[in-house]
Amino acid sequence: MEPSDCEDASFLPDEDNASGHVKYCNSDKTVTCSHTKACFISSLIIISIITVSLIAAFARPGAAKISEQSEVNNITKRVSSIPLATNGEAYPWHSIRLPKFAVPESYYIHMHPNLTTSTFAGKVEIKIRILKETDFVIVHSSSLNISKKSISIQCTHVSAIHAEKVLHNIKYQQIYIKTDKKLPIGSCKLTLKFVAELKTKLSGFYKSIYTAPSGEKRFIATTQFEATDARAAFPCFDEPAMKATFQLSMVRDSSLHNLTLFNMPLDRTEDFESPDLKIDHFGASHKMSTYLVAFIVCDFGYVTTNTSSGTKISVYSPPHLWGQTHYALDVAVNITEYYENFFGLPFPLPKQDLVAIPDFSGGAMENWGLITYRSVDLLYEKGQSSAANQQRVTVVIAHELAHQWFGNLVTMSWWSDLWLNEGFASYVEYIGTNYISTKWKMFDQFVTSSVQGALESDALIHSHPISVQVDDPEQITALFDAISYNKGASIIRMMDHFLQQYGEDTIQHGLQQYLISHKYGNAKTNDLWDAMTKATDKKLNVSDVMSTWTDQMGYPVVRVKRQGNKLTLTQNRFTFSNATLDATPEFKSTFNYKWHIPITLFTSKNDNPVNSWLKPTDKSVTLDIRDGTKWFKLNHNQVGFYRVNYDSQTWQTLIEQLKTDHTVFNVTDRCNLIDDAFNLAVAGHLNPKTAFHLSTYLKKEREYLPWRSAVGNLDYFLEIFRDDYDSLELFKKFYMSLMENLLKDIKLEDTGEMFDKYLRSLILHRALMMEDKKNC
């Protein structure tokens, strides 16, 4: 027998083999490894080195899968010192939140950027509703030069009002305006003039640069306001619940820039002060939050068309990249039309622009009616761009368009519920992208792209709940993480699944009711749960279930013990750390780290999964399986946000089934088994040999996604053994043995479907990492 005929796992400790030498072969083959003394001695040496290395690796404190220290973000810092104004006076307002007695109703913004001097001047007129008589008003402002003389206030039935004192607080990013007269209940207009630097820092109102094919440097002025940078462009009430309408007048140099873009369509253009200067006027927007305002001055080209309902869709780019905008236009039109049906509401604006920005901090920003993108996430050219780029462009467009309803039309009341925006958009992006192309298998990709990454992040002892109180801008920025996006999306997918017991479209009906009830307004997490509860005809209290997932950090591991035809299930919190559950006291669980867990069970005797619940109050739950059941698996398609740890015999049965015929488990279930096994091993809940034994089935695996799960976990051990040369070399041989058959089949040609290309790239890259020059 050739060595390649067997799956060698000789470095894995085995309780049933005194020599520690384990080989797994196909059922129609035999193993003869004792034919020479050299083979026996080699086996002992290998086992000794690797076993000691594994034990040491898992025992040392630094073996956590992700360095917790690098992930810790102090999002609970509180403002405790007495606030001071920039002039040294005590600042009268002691809250980072604005007072509620002055509410903005409309803004008129006049902007005049100068890209030559990198400055801008502006004026904002804010119509405010005074709800309680007051002698001061507070607005947000950051890095804007505003003098007392540049501020004026007018109120109905009150003679001239003057700013008696103006105090700036840098930490709160506020301006306190003390008036010489009381502002009465009713309508007032606050006018502020300001000047500021047009920086290149990729936030607020900033200057972006691109290079034309001629080599000429060209400049544009653009915005990025989320979460708290609208205040760096114009003074405003910069909180998401303080919605208002917005109008814009923008001055531009027509010799340099041929257009201005805003959330709403252009109304008219006029001459302004000199022959080269023009001023573009735009109509009023719908009520929206300040972070969704956007404006751009540029020289871009564009393509445009209309949706079937009449919305004008345009894609803008630097002129030399115009040819790469057509794919995005086609995708945007199709997804917009699909979402109108999915959300049950027409797109509420007359136009939707998508703009490729040369310098951009994120992937994209969902400004209402004027979405800005990093160029690589919007532009695609058939025959030149990669398959991965095509999918990425589609996903990002689908994500941002989902926000136009979920986030823009209905906005979270405060940043503590950021996940309402980002979690839903991160889930719906898969629905939208799947509509564009089913061949990408987006719902399968969700498991490896979102669920498994979120499980890894949330297993850290210093994670945080999805819904968490935040105050200052630093804390808010810290929430834009894997918990808000990927965990948020994952628990929505889980909810979607268990709500299907009440009707296939239950979640869609709940979403539609939520949007209709709160359109042009704000909402909190419980508002969404109420809508979902109504969608079940109140047969399920969705808040009771989902609060255990949003209001406490982490997630459970479900432990399963089989005794004959009965399965006993229990739950505990899963972490990579041995620290106590109260290691993060500011996020202490009110549920004692117990969850409402939707259980899905399928077996060798039952193809249709059985649904049940493991509740926080259950000490254990017993499930029955049919006589003659060979194997069973929980968490079908990994729809639940939890891990499953089986008893040792069940793990062995699952492993043998994978080695005999892995296709009885679908792709996502194979991904799930791989990821759970390795992470349970890393956390000390499972003997590492079980995870490695399971991975030996990969010799037969030809699908990309299980390999993606496997590689993500196997690569971790390259780091574990990095400083131990002998163990590292032995592990590389094992790693290479798993890929050996694939490497023989792979052809160095750019052919096949997208997943074929992904798999080819993944395996060849790992082979090169192993320096397997024979195959590469």
Side-chain angles (χ1 to χ4, degrees):
M1 182 189 73
E2 294 295 325
S4 60
D5 291 337
C6 289
E7 297 172 15
D8 192 352
S10 60
F11 64 84
L12 302 175
D14 185 84
E15 297 169 355
D16 301 321
N17 188 334
S19 72
H21 192 199
V22 182
K23 282 218 175 196
Y24 295 91
C25 302
N26 295 331
S27 58
D28 59 342
K29 299 175 183 175
T30 59
V31 181
T32 55
C33 196
S34 58
H35 61 283
T36 65
K37 183 177 180 180
C39 180
F40 176 74
I41 294 173
S42 174
S43 300
L44 290 178
I45 293 172
I46 290 171
I47 256 303
S48 298
I49 293 173
I50 300 298
T51 301
V52 170
S53 298
L54 275 170
I55 293 171
F58 282 103
R60 65 177 182 257
K65 193 165 187 181
I66 301 175
S67 171
E68 293 190 10
Q69 286 300 315
S70 67
E71 294 291 324
V72 173
N73 228 323
N74 183 15
I75 64 171
T76 60
K77 183 177 67 176
R78 298 291 183 261
V79 178
S80 58
S81 59
I82 298 175
L84 297 177
T86 53
N87 64 357
E89 289 187 35
Y91 191 70
W93 187 251
H94 293 184
S95 173
I96 205 159
R97 300 289 297 274
L98 297 180
K100 305 301 181 187
F101 54 73
V103 180
E105 294 184 329
S106 67
Y107 291 78
Y108 168 70
I109 307 166
H110 175 100
M111 301 292 283
H112 186 171
N114 187 321
L115 277 80
T116 302
T117 62
S118 297
T119 59
F120 66 91
K123 179 182 74 171
V124 61
E125 297 174 358
I126 312 173
K127 182 181 178 181
I128 57 178
R129 175 68 55 180
I130 303 298
L131 304 179
K132 183 181 72 173
E133 190 176 69
T134 179
D135 62 356
F136 71 93
V137 176
I138 299 175
V139 296
H140 284 114
S141 175
S142 176
S143 303
L144 301 176
N145 188 349
I146 303 170
S147 67
K148 186 170 70 172
K149 293 181 179 179
S150 67
I151 299 173
S152 65
I153 303 174
Q154 296 174 299
C155 295
T156 306
H157 306 307
V158 179
S159 59
I161 301 172
H162 302 284
E164 186 176 83
K165 178 185 290 188
V166 177
L167 298 176
H168 299 253
N169 183 282
I170 294 176
K171 190 170 187 177
Y172 289 3
Q173 299 180 343
Q174 295 174 355
I175 298 178
Y176 176 94
I177 304 168
K178 176 72 166 60
T179 59
D180 61 351
K181 295 178 183 178
K182 292 279 189 179
L183 306 183
I185 295 174
S187 181
C188 294
K189 184 172 74 173
L190 172 65
T191 302
L192 304 97
K193 296 179 180 179
F194 50 93
V195 294
E197 182 181 351
L198 192 65
K199 300 179 181 179
T200 57
K201 65 175 185 175
L202 310 187
S203 62
F205 190 31
Y206 70 94
K207 183 165 69 173
S208 178
I209 306 169
Y210 74 93
T211 303
S214 64
E216 177 190 1
K217 297 287 185 183
R218 296 185 180 175
F219 305 96
I220 71 169
T222 185
T223 59
Q224 170 57 38
F225 291 162
E226 191 178 32
T228 60
D229 285 312
R231 64 192 68 176
F234 58 95
C236 55
F237 295 79
D238 201 10
E239 295 185 5
M242 292 188 165
K243 289 191 170 185
T245 62
F246 294 83
Q247 286 182 277
L248 174 73
S249 293
M250 178 72 73
V251 178
R252 60 178 168 85
D253 186 337
S254 61
S255 67
L256 299 174
H257 302 102
N258 60 348
L259 58 89
T260 301
L261 298 173
F262 180 54
N263 303 82
M264 298 299 289
L266 178 67
D267 185 29
R268 68 188 188 280
T269 298
E270 299 174 337
D271 294 333
F272 184 80
E273 293 185 355
S274 69
D276 287 337
L277 294 182
K278 303 292 183 183
I279 182 166
D280 295 325
H281 300 283
F282 296 83
S285 71
H286 290 302
K287 285 182 64 177
M288 63 181 182
S289 303
T290 48
Y291 78 89
L292 295 171
V293 176
F295 35 82
I296 303 171
V297 179
C298 63
D299 62 349
F300 286 179
Y302 64 96
V303 292
T304 188
T305 191
N306 289 347
T307 66
S308 57
S309 59
T311 301
K312 183 179 180 180
I313 309 289
S314 304
V315 181
Y316 292 80
S317 74
H320 65 286
L321 300 175
W322 176 85
Q324 301 178 34
T325 58
H326 295 81
Y327 177 75
L329 181 67
D330 183 58
V331 169
V333 168
N334 282 283
I335 291 182
T336 298
E337 293 175 345
Y338 175 74
Y339 282 168
E340 287 184 320
N341 178 67
F342 181 81
F343 290 121
L345 288 169
F347 181 71
L349 303 183
K351 64 93 176 176
Q352 177 68 77
D353 298 333
L354 297 80
V355 187
I357 303 298
D359 301 310
F360 199 73
S361 59
M365 177 60 209
E366 66 267 21
N367 316 300
W368 212 2
L370 181 57
I371 307 174
T372 45
Y373 294 79
R374 184 183 296 173
S375 295
V376 71
D377 290 324
L378 183 65
L379 304 180
Y380 170 81
E381 186 172 3
K382 188 175 181 179
Q384 299 295 321
S385 304
S386 68
N389 177 235
Q390 183 181 17
Q391 179 184 298
R392 170 67 180 171
V393 167
T394 309
V395 167
V396 177
I397 291 173
H399 181 102
E400 303 308 325
L401 287 175
H403 273 310
Q404 305 302 298
W405 286 265
F406 217 100
N408 297 5
L409 182 64
V410 180
T411 312
M412 75 263 154
S413 293
W414 181 243
W415 297 104
S416 301
D417 285 325
L418 172 68
W419 86 277
L420 277 179
N421 282 16
E422 299 303 345
F424 258 94
S426 296
Y427 178 53
V428 174
E429 72 184 39
Y430 284 83
I431 298 173
T433 304
N434 186 69
Y435 174 74
I436 295 298
S437 177
T438 56
K439 70 180 181 180
W440 290 339
K441 302 177 183 178
M442 293 305 300
F443 299 129
D444 289 348
Q445 287 196 62
F446 187 93
V447 169
T448 55
S449 297
S450 292
V451 178
Q452 293 182 354
L455 287 169
E456 185 173 312
S457 298
D458 205 29
L460 300 174
I461 201 69
H462 288 288
S463 182
H464 65 82
I466 286 180
S467 292
V468 58
Q469 181 58 42
V470 290
D471 292 320
D472 66 43
E474 289 183 5
Q475 295 172 355
I476 294 167
T477 300
L479 283 184
F480 288 80
D481 63 4
I483 303 301
S484 295
Y485 283 75
N486 293 337
K487 182 180 179 180
S490 297
I491 67 168
I492 291 164
R493 172 176 174 260
M494 178 176 68
M495 179 178 69
D496 186 1
H497 178 268
F498 69 69
L499 286 179
Q500 289 178 21
Q501 299 173 49
Y502 306 95
E504 186 176 350
D505 298 324
T506 301
I507 192 171
Q508 186 175 354
H509 295 323
L511 285 175
Q512 291 175 356
Q513 182 58 47
Y514 170 83
L515 291 171
I516 291 170
S517 298
H518 301 282
K519 61 182 179 180
Y520 302 112
N522 299 83
K524 298 179 180 179
T525 295
N526 280 335
D527 295 318
L528 178 62
W529 301 155
D530 289 344
M532 293 300 167
T533 297
K534 290 177 182 176
T536 69
D537 293 328
K538 299 185 178 181
K539 295 175 182 176
L540 178 69
N541 188 321
V542 176
S543 179
D544 285 352
V545 174
M546 295 303 293
S547 292
T548 65
W549 298 94
T550 58
D551 295 350
Q552 62 181 343
M553 72 177 95
Y555 58 88
V557 54
V558 175
R559 301 178 186 277
V560 189
K561 184 176 182 180
R562 179 176 182 176
Q563 291 181 307
N565 290 339
K566 292 190 178 296
L567 309 178
T568 302
L569 280 57
T570 58
Q571 66 164 296
N572 295 100
R573 183 184 175 191
F574 178 87
T575 69
F576 288 126
S577 171
N578 292 323
T580 64
L581 295 182
D582 292 331
T584 314
E586 64 270 30
F587 298 137
K588 188 173 182 179
S589 171
T590 57
F591 301 100
N592 197 29
Y593 293 106
K594 299 293 182 181
W595 289 261
H596 281 275
I597 306 174
I599 301 296
T600 52
L601 167 69
F602 76 105
T603 75
S604 59
K605 290 286 188 178
N606 187 2
D607 292 336
N608 296 318
V610 176
N611 300 310
S612 60
W613 289 94
L614 179 56
K615 300 176 182 178
T617 54
D618 294 330
K619 185 176 180 180
S620 65
V621 165
T622 300
L623 303 179
D624 294 322
I625 55 178
R626 294 168 58 183
D627 290 338
T629 297
K630 180 181 178 183
W631 55 261
F632 67 91
K633 182 188 177 296
L634 267 64
N635 201 9
H636 183 46
N637 287 329
Q638 202 169 1
V639 294
F641 194 74
Y642 56 88
R643 298 198 185 278
V644 181
N645 194 6
Y646 305 93
D647 59 64
S648 58
Q649 183 55 53
T650 300
W651 272 117
Q652 291 307 312
T653 301
L654 290 167
I655 290 170
E656 290 306 315
Q657 182 58 58
L658 284 168
K659 293 163 67 63
T660 301
D661 179 11
H662 61 280
T663 62
V664 301
F665 305 106
N666 65 30
V667 166
T668 52
D669 280 318
R670 301 201 300 269
C671 293
N672 182 199
L673 288 169
I674 292 167
D675 197 60
D676 274 2
F678 275 103
N679 281 277
L680 288 164
V682 168
H685 297 294
L686 185 67
N687 190 323
K689 74 169 186 178
T690 302
F692 284 107
H693 287 174
L694 185 148
S695 71
T696 58
Y697 103 86
L698 289 165
K699 283 258 185 174
K700 300 179 180 179
E701 183 61 76
R702 291 297 181 272
E703 293 284 347
Y704 165 68
L705 291 175
W707 268 107
R708 178 174 173 179
S709 287
V711 163
N713 285 285
L714 291 167
D715 283 358
Y716 167 65
F717 291 92
L718 292 175
E719 291 299 312
I720 287 291
F721 296 136
R722 181 176 56 185
D723 298 327
D724 184 341
Y725 177 80
D726 292 334
S727 297
L728 179 61
E729 291 304 305
L730 289 170
F731 179 71
K732 283 183 177 180
K733 290 179 181 179
F734 172 75
Y735 203 158
M736 283 301 305
S737 75
L738 302 180
M739 298 187 291
E740 186 176 11
N741 291 337
L742 265 178
L743 287 167
K744 290 178 181 177
D745 296 340
I746 285 175
K747 297 178 181 178
L748 299 179
E749 300 173 359
D750 188 25
T751 58
E753 296 296 331
M754 185 181 71
F755 276 12
D756 298 326
K757 297 177 180 180
Y758 283 2
L759 180 61
R760 181 187 305 120
S761 175
L762 181 72
I763 297 302
L764 289 177
H765 182 260
R766 287 316 180 278
L768 287 169
M769 284 175 57
M770 308 300 156
E771 298 180 344
D772 186 63
K773 296 186 170 77
K774 179 178 71 173
N775 288 293
C776 302

